[in-house]
Structures are given as structure tokens and as C-alpha cells.
Amino acid sequence: MRTRHAPANTRKPPSWDREAACARLTDPEIMFPTGSPEDVTAAREVCATCPVQRACLRDVITREGAQHSNARHGIVAGLTGHERWLVYRTLKRRGQLR
């Protein structure tokens, strides 16, 4: 009998993900704005009401790691990809990330 295993790149959802404000959206595309200031503001407003925003930020900073800001998509924890890259870089320089 052969045992099937999940692919190595399959990641278990974090424990906080069901509590996230974005998990209750009927249109999750809101979190991937086209770049207009109004769309970005709408996505940030979802994050501003989120009870797990800090946990989300910790998770995304760890998961995205050193990826270039152009490889980071959407608004996560209220931040754009470039803003998340700046947070990562700052934490790395301070020695707060491994």
C-alpha cells in the first residue's frame, strides 16, 4: 500500500486566518487593487478593521521573506507589496528576523 503525502510546498493555513476580516469578503479581489488610490484605500480599510492584523503581518513578512517588492502582490495587513518589503528590510537590518 502506498501512502500519499501532501506536496512539500503545501502550507497549512495559519491558525488566525479564519478570524481575518478579508476572509469574510464576498469579493476577495478587493485585496488586489488595480493601483487606483480609491481601490488601495478600500483594501486598507478592510485591514484597518481586522482583529488579527498583527498576526497577518508577522505571517506575511515571514512567508514572503526577502522576495523583491515586485514579487509581492495585493494589500496584506494594510500594506502594499513595497511597504511590506520595507518592513522586512528594516526588521532584517535590526536583527529581528532570522
Side-chain angles (χ1 to χ4, degrees), residues 14-87:
S15 60
W16 53 263
D17 71 330
R18 287 181 297 263
E19 298 174 38
C22 61
R24 296 183 293 275
L25 291 174
T26 55
D27 182 10
E29 289 298 312
I30 290 170
M31 303 312 293
F32 297 91
T34 59
S36 75
E38 295 82 16
D39 290 348
V40 172
T41 298
R44 287 183 195 267
E45 287 173 354
V46 171
C47 293
T49 66
C50 187
V52 293
Q53 185 179 12
R54 290 179 68 112
C56 177
L57 180 59
R58 278 192 304 271
D59 184 64
V60 75
I61 293 298
T62 301
R63 187 170 16 96
E64 289 178 335
Q67 282 182 0
H68 190 274
S69 62
N70 292 341
R72 298 166 188 250
H73 304 288
I75 301 294
V76 182
L79 303 174
T80 65
H82 181 71
E83 291 166 338
R84 294 190 309 273
W85 180 78
L86 292 173
V87 169

Side-chain angles (χ1 to χ4, degrees), residues 61-62 87-98:
I61 293 298
T62 301
V87 169
Y88 171 82
R89 187 179 71 176
T90 299
L91 293 174
K92 191 73 171 173
R93 284 182 180 165
R94 290 181 183 168
Q96 294 174 307
L97 292 175
R98 295 177 201 155

